[in-house]
Amino acid sequence: MKTPEWLENPWRQNPWFESVAVAQERARKRLPAPVYSALLAGSERGQSRDDNQSAFAELGLAPHVVGQQPERDQVTTVFGQQVSSPVLVSPTGVQAVHPDGEVAVARAAAARGTIMGLSNFASKAVEEVCETGATTFFQMYWTGDRDTMIQRMQRAHDAGVQGLIATLDWSFSIGRDWGSPEIPEKVDLKTMIRMAPDVVTRPRWLADFARQYRDTGRLPDLTAPNLAPPGGEAPTFFGAYYEWMTTPPPSWEDVSWMREQWAQISGTPFVLKGVSRVDDALRAVDAGVAGISVSNHGGNNLDGTPAAIRMVHPISSHVGHQVDVVMDGGIRRGSDVIKALALGAKAVLIGRAYLWGLAANGQQGVENVLDLLTGGVDSALRGLALSSVAELGPEHLLIPGDFHRELGVPVASTATH
C-alpha cells in the first residue's frame, strides 16, 4: 500500500477530517473572511439557522444492548432514483470556495452514488456538471418570463439532468444582525485591489485560483452560466437577482404549469423545495409533484420559521404515502440523518456541510463529508439493532412532547390525524 503523502511529510496537514465540525473549521481558516461569512448565511438574528441544528439535540435515540445486525443497508430509492445512501447533495449557488466548484461536488456525488442538486445560480454550466456522470437534478427559481423558463428547462433536459427541483420559498432576506459579507459583481483589477487585504491572508485559497488562471488564463467569473440566453452572455449574480426580483411571484397555478411543462419536456420527477406547512404540502400533491423538500432555506430566508426537522413528521404523516418527502437544514452528522428518516423523511439534503468539505479539500473533501455522514448512519443503525434505513420509525427516537411544529393543518384533516 502506498504511504499517504501527508504521512511522508508529517508537517503537512492531514487532508482527511474526522467530523463536519473539523471541515467547517478548516474552511474558516482557508477562506477569505467574506467568502466564509457567505457560507454561514442566516437572515436577521439567525434564529432559524441556529434552530435547524439545535433541534436535533432535543431528539434522543433508543438503542439495544444486544441484537445488533452484522450487515446494515443504506440503499434507498428517492425521486425514482436508487441511491447508495439517503444523503443527497442540495443545490447551492456561488460555489466560489474552490475553483472546481460544482464540478468537484458532482464528481464526489457520482463517486458516492448519490444525487447531485445543481442550482441555476451555479457557477458551472449544467452541461459541464452532467458530463461528470452524476445523477443530476436541476434546480430552478421562478425567474424570467415563461418562454425563458421553458428554454432553461429544455437546456437542462438536453444536458442530461434526471429531475427538476423548483425552489419557491426564497424571499432574499439579506439583513443580518452581524453584517452581510461583500460579494463583488465581477472580478477585475479594481475589485482585486480592494479585497486584497482579505485575500492575501489566505495564501492556499489564493494559490488554488492562481493555478486555475495559469491553466486557463481566466479569473473566476461571478456569473450564472445556466441563466445565459441562447447565444448570449451569462448574467452576473446581481443581474440574476434583479431578474428574480422583477419577476412576479408564482401562484399554485404557476406551479402546476411548471410541473406540466417539465413533464412534456422530460417526464422525469418534479420536486418542490421549501415546504414548511401541511396545507402547502397538500396543494403540492394536488399540483402533481413527485416529491417535496421540507425546508426553511437553511435559515437564510424568513427568520423565525421553525427548524426543518420539527416540521418533517407533521408533513410526512399527511403526504408521505403519496409523494417522497425529504428534508434539508442542519444536517451535520449521521445521527441527524437517522432522526430525519425516523420521522418520515426518505432522505436528507445537505448544503453547508459539503461546501465546507469543498473548501477544505475539493472533491476529496466533499467525499470525506459524505463518508462521515454515511459512516454515522451505519453506527446508529448498529446501535439501534436495525439492518436497514427502511426499518426506521418514530419508535426509535425519544421525542419531547412539544417538539413538532404542525403548521397549516386544514380543519378537516385535523379530525383524522
Side-chain angles (χ1 to χ4, degrees):
M1 178 181 292
K2 185 179 184 298
T3 303
E5 183 179 352
W6 69 274
L7 279 178
E8 293 177 351
N9 181 4
W11 296 107
R12 181 179 179 183
Q13 185 181 52
N14 179 359
W16 184 84
F17 37 84
E18 60 273 16
S19 71
V20 173
V22 174
Q24 179 180 359
E25 178 61 14
R26 291 194 185 176
R28 185 188 68 80
K29 292 180 177 179
R30 188 181 187 93
L31 296 174
V35 179
Y36 178 71
S37 295
L39 294 188
L40 291 182
S43 64
E44 296 183 337
R45 65 166 57 88
Q47 175 182 341
S48 294
R49 180 199 64 176
D50 294 343
D51 194 33
N52 271 350
Q53 294 183 65
S54 61
F56 281 101
E58 297 179 27
L59 296 170
L61 298 173
H64 284 283
V65 68
V66 175
Q68 290 81 5
Q69 302 300 305
E71 295 183 2
R72 296 161 297 278
D73 185 13
Q74 297 187 40
V75 174
T76 189
T77 299
V78 60
F79 307 145
Q81 298 289 333
Q82 187 180 80
V83 290
S84 61
S85 83
V87 181
L88 318 179
V89 173
S90 184
T92 63
V94 201
Q95 292 185 10
V97 299
H98 189 278
D100 292 336
E102 292 85 359
V103 171
V105 176
R107 288 172 178 157
R112 294 300 181 265
T114 192
I115 292 173
M116 164 71 183
L118 177 69
S119 172
N120 64 354
F121 285 171
S123 60
K124 302 293 183 183
V126 62
E127 293 84 2
E128 190 176 359
V129 170
C130 286
E131 286 175 359
T132 66
T135 299
T136 303
F137 275 50
F138 187 65
Q139 177 255 15
M140 286 182 58
Y141 290 94
W142 184 263
T143 62
D145 59 31
R146 288 192 170 193
D147 288 341
T148 298
M149 284 185 256
I150 290 173
Q151 176 267 316
R152 290 169 181 165
M153 285 188 255
Q154 186 65 57
R155 176 183 171 184
H157 168 69
D158 293 344
V161 305
Q162 288 143 302
L164 190 77
I165 301 172
T167 300
L168 306 179
D169 67 321
W170 194 33
S171 65
F172 199 45
S173 301
I174 61 173
R176 302 177 188 175
D177 289 3
W178 55 93
S180 297
E182 178 187 2
I183 301 176
E185 184 169 5
K186 60 181 178 179
V187 178
D188 54 18
L189 182 60
K190 182 179 179 180
T191 301
M192 293 170 66
I193 293 173
R194 187 179 74 254
M195 302 190 73
D198 289 313
V199 174
V200 296
T201 60
R202 298 294 187 264
R204 289 187 296 165
W205 182 83
L206 183 60
D208 286 340
F209 285 91
R211 281 191 290 271
Q212 182 190 56
Y213 180 77
R214 179 197 64 195
D215 296 339
T216 66
R218 295 177 57 190
L219 289 168
D221 292 326
L222 295 179
T223 59
N226 295 312
L227 298 181
E233 294 185 358
T236 65
F237 285 108
F238 288 96
Y241 290 148
Y242 178 78
E243 180 186 83
W244 169 79
M245 292 172 66
T246 55
T247 302
S251 64
W252 279 109
E253 289 73 22
D254 291 325
V255 175
S256 296
W257 173 85
M258 195 177 194
R259 198 274 306 167
E260 290 166 2
Q261 295 303 312
W262 182 246
Q264 293 176 22
I265 291 171
S266 173
T268 56
F270 180 94
V271 180
L272 182 62
K273 187 174 183 291
V275 178
S276 61
R277 297 170 55 102
V278 172
D279 50 1
D280 281 349
L282 293 169
R283 292 293 298 270
V285 172
D286 290 341
V289 306
I292 60 175
S293 175
V294 178
S295 168
N296 61 17
H297 214 106
N300 194 25
N301 194 22
L302 184 64
D303 199 28
T305 56
I309 188 63
R310 299 187 188 277
M311 302 181 287
V312 168
H313 184 68
I315 290 175
S316 65
S317 65
H318 281 83
V319 303
H321 59 291
Q322 297 173 281
V323 297
D324 285 346
V325 175
V326 302
M327 68 80 63
D328 72 270
I331 299 292
R332 299 291 184 270
R333 50 197 63 83
S335 59
D336 296 340
V337 180
I338 287 289
K339 292 170 183 178
L341 269 57
L343 291 178
K346 287 289 295 289
V348 302
L349 293 159
I350 60 170
R352 291 184 181 92
Y354 80 77
L355 290 175
W356 289 326
L358 177 66
N361 196 28
Q363 175 185 340
Q364 289 71 33
V366 179
E367 293 176 4
N368 195 157
V369 166
L370 291 171
D371 290 344
L372 287 169
L373 294 175
T374 55
V377 169
D378 184 72
S379 295
L381 287 177
R382 180 185 177 95
L384 295 170
L386 301 177
S387 61
S388 170
V389 292
E391 299 172 10
L392 285 162
E395 67 273 15
H396 298 111
L397 303 181
L398 301 174
I399 308 172
D402 61 349
F403 181 80
H404 301 303
R405 300 292 185 269
E406 196 170 39
L407 310 178
V409 180
V411 175
S413 181
T414 304
T416 58
H417 288 84

